[in-house]
Amino acid sequence: MREIFFIIALAIGLVQTGYSQVPGGAANKHYTVGELDKMGKLELSRLYVAQVNKLNLLLPYIPFNQKGDAVSLAGMGIPNTKNNNGAIKEMDGTVGNHNSVMGESLTSLIPYADKVDIIKSILFLQNVVERVEAGI
């Protein structure tokens, strides 16, 4: 039971770390074109990076989340063994490191894109993240 709690706590910690750079958990908000159009390119870049990070956290778990309720190993249908727990911890750590490095790179590159293209990308990623979270 402690192992499941630890995995869930680790995953939540990684998610929180990934969004700590965006005020108010902006990756969780549903933005409209009008709201995004009022923002500057730097703020849009932060939102884009937050959406990419969130999607990176979700991608490994898509096969286990077809009903939108995979929050534990048992909920995902994965046996609670030492090897499986280790694999989840390693994967979460790898995704966290990947998000950190990619976030730094994207933060410096995305502002060079056209504002309209950044907005389209944010809306696209927002849609994909919502579908993954819903298990669609």
Side-chain angles (χ1 to χ4, degrees), residues 14-15 18-19 25-29 47-61 95 99 102 125-126 129-130 132-133:
L14 286 173
V15 169
Y19 304 116
N28 296 326
K29 183 178 184 312
L47 289 175
Y48 177 79
V49 169
Q51 289 292 337
V52 169
N53 285 344
K54 186 170 187 175
L55 187 57
N56 280 336
L57 289 169
L58 294 171
L59 284 174
Y61 299 102
V95 169
N99 278 351
M102 187 171 49
L125 289 172
Q126 182 175 269
V129 166
E130 288 171 359
V132 169
E133 287 178 333

Side-chain angles (χ1 to χ4, degrees), residues 67-100:
K67 296 178 184 171
D69 60 356
V71 294
S72 66
L73 287 179
M76 291 187 279
I78 300 172
N80 187 9
T81 66
K82 183 177 180 180
N83 288 340
N84 291 344
N85 289 330
I88 295 288
K89 288 177 195 174
E90 183 177 342
M91 183 172 56
D92 286 345
T94 301
V95 169
N97 290 337
H98 174 74
N99 278 351
S100 177

Side-chain angles (χ1 to χ4, degrees), residues 87-124:
I88 295 288
K89 288 177 195 174
E90 183 177 342
M91 183 172 56
D92 286 345
T94 301
V95 169
N97 290 337
H98 174 74
N99 278 351
S100 177
V101 171
M102 187 171 49
E104 290 175 17
S105 299
L106 286 174
T107 299
S108 63
L109 296 174
I110 293 300
Y112 292 106
D114 291 334
K115 184 176 179 176
V116 172
D117 291 334
I118 299 171
I119 291 171
K120 287 179 185 177
S121 299
I122 291 169
L123 293 171
F124 172 77

